[in-house]
Amino acid sequence: MGILQIGLSFFILTNLLDIDIGTNYLPMIVVVFSFIFAITALGILLVSLIRTPQALQVTIPIVATAMAMLGGAFWPIDIVQNRFVLFLGELMPIKHSLESMMNIIINEYTLIDIIQPLGILLLMGTLFMGIGMNLMERSTKA
């Protein structure tokens, strides 16, 4: 579902709004897949931590909005001066994916140039998935 949504967003940006996103498609696709992996893994972690569907319905919008704010999706993260907020921004998958996509589009970065943010996204996804699956297995055994 995430791939479909992001693909539709790119289609709208390029074809309906005539926004140039460059021609460096391979790094962009790798960033999108890494981001989707990290966010899906975060969802699994949230599902394993929150016990009721009602609490999950309340938590997901709060987490998503906070991640977007701290990650720089609502405003440029460069204008923030607070070190703690900047540190929290580093923990958000959206920050690394946005930064990578902007560098791919504006600076024409290649796959080699974005190895570090990709590694961070994959590490976040692996940690979130591992912790979430472990917590889910423990709750089903009890």
Side-chain angles (χ1 to χ4, degrees):
M1 194 57 130
I3 295 169
L4 180 65
Q5 289 176 342
I6 293 174
L8 182 63
S9 298
F10 284 154
F11 177 79
I12 290 170
L13 286 172
T14 56
N15 295 322
L16 300 179
L17 300 176
D18 288 330
I19 295 175
D20 182 24
I21 61 167
T23 58
N24 216 354
Y25 297 119
L26 179 63
M28 190 71 78
I29 290 169
V30 172
V31 169
V32 166
F33 280 127
S34 300
F35 175 69
I36 290 170
F37 169 67
I39 292 299
T40 303
L42 179 63
I44 290 172
L45 177 63
L46 286 175
V47 166
S48 69
L49 290 172
I50 299 168
R51 298 290 171 215
T52 65
Q54 293 81 11
L56 191 62
Q57 288 177 348
V58 170
T59 305
I60 288 176
I62 294 170
V63 170
T65 304
M67 282 180 49
M69 286 181 182
L70 293 171
F74 285 171
W75 52 75
I77 198 73
D78 300 336
I79 65 171
V80 176
Q81 300 296 319
N82 188 323
R83 284 184 165 163
F84 182 69
V85 173
L86 290 171
F87 171 74
L88 289 177
E90 291 294 325
L91 302 176
M92 303 299 141
I94 196 166
K95 185 229 185 245
H96 301 287
S97 61
L98 282 174
E99 185 178 281
S100 298
M101 287 183 188
M102 287 179 13
N103 282 326
I104 290 167
I105 293 169
I106 296 169
N107 301 325
E108 296 181 3
Y109 275 23
T110 63
L111 203 51
I112 299 298
D113 298 324
I114 58 166
I115 286 292
Q116 181 183 4
L118 285 178
I120 292 170
L121 284 171
L122 294 174
L123 178 65
M124 284 181 179
T126 304
L127 288 174
F128 294 158
M129 184 80 70
I131 294 168
M133 293 297 230
N134 191 357
L135 290 173
M136 272 197 236
E137 284 180 10
R138 287 185 183 182
S139 67
T140 57
K141 288 180 182 177

